Amino acid sequence: MEKMKNLFFLLSAIFCLATACARGSADNSLATSEPKTDSQGATMNITIKITSDSGNHTLNATLAENKSALAFAELLKKGPVTVKMNDYGSFEKVGSLGTSLPRTDSQITTQAGDIILYQGNQITVYYDTNSWNFTRLGKVTGVTQAELKAILGKGDVTAVFALASL
């Protein structure tokens, strides 16, 4: 009976681990570069044109699936949004959106490439980690942490966020 109990707990633990891994894989779907659309067929991919001390660069990103990211996509449907961004805490570039979006804050640890809505009216692009209550808007794809840090440069940057063409 004791062996059966141990086997049951072992199988339960394996199932829980597999479920957690599957959820983690689903969360990593933000990193895909294939065109992504919302339930109405609107594009959920964006481009970010960065002008920094390291030159001009275009980054691709995929928006998250939450009401904040949908509101950001709606804003971008009106046209590109230009944000002057400066370094904050040596792990992100941050700037004012010039408008407020709905927040869906939760406790998260950011990773390089995360695009975060902060306090409802600021947008940040992370090139390192930070833990806090944030609203995830999306994820830059196709660049490493070192490349992203080099692209964002040491000083202020201008970022132009726009919906990507399908």
Side-chain angles (χ1 to χ4, degrees):
M1 185 66 169
E2 188 66 29
K3 285 184 181 182
M4 290 290 283
K5 220 187 216 183
N6 289 341
L7 180 61
F8 174 76
F9 285 121
L10 177 63
L11 291 175
S12 295
I14 291 170
F15 177 77
C16 289
L17 181 59
T19 303
C21 288
R23 284 190 194 128
S25 295
D27 291 343
N28 289 335
S29 67
L30 289 176
T32 64
S33 59
E34 295 179 22
K36 184 176 179 181
T37 58
D38 68 12
S39 60
Q40 286 79 40
T43 184
M44 295 299 288
N45 290 350
I46 63 172
T47 60
I48 310 166
K49 293 186 179 182
I50 302 286
T51 303
S52 69
D53 64 355
S54 68
N56 298 325
H57 306 275
T58 299
L59 301 172
N60 296 308
T62 301
L63 292 177
E65 295 180 25
N66 61 47
K67 70 180 181 179
S68 304
L70 288 173
F72 187 48
E74 287 298 317
L75 176 65
L76 295 178
K77 283 181 185 177
K78 297 175 186 173
V81 173
T82 302
V83 180
K84 298 283 187 187
M85 304 179 88
N86 47 357
D87 209 46
Y88 182 80
S90 299
F91 50 80
E92 68 181 329
K93 295 291 185 180
V94 63
S96 174
L97 269 175
T99 190
S100 292
L101 299 176
R103 294 166 61 174
T104 53
D105 290 351
S106 62
Q107 179 70 34
I108 62 173
T109 298
T110 61
Q111 301 297 317
D114 280 343
I115 303 167
I116 301 293
L117 176 66
Y118 181 65
Q119 295 184 345
N121 61 3
Q122 297 176 62
I123 193 163
T124 60
V125 178
Y126 278 81
Y127 54 86
D128 210 337
T129 61
N130 186 28
S131 294
W132 198 257
N133 285 323
F134 296 119
T135 297
R136 189 181 312 263
L137 289 179
K139 179 84 170 173
V140 173
T141 60
V143 294
T144 67
Q145 180 177 2
E147 290 168 330
L148 186 60
K149 191 170 184 176
I151 289 167
L152 292 175
K154 295 182 188 312
D156 295 348
V157 303
T158 300
V160 180
F161 295 85
L163 289 177
S165 306
L166 288 177

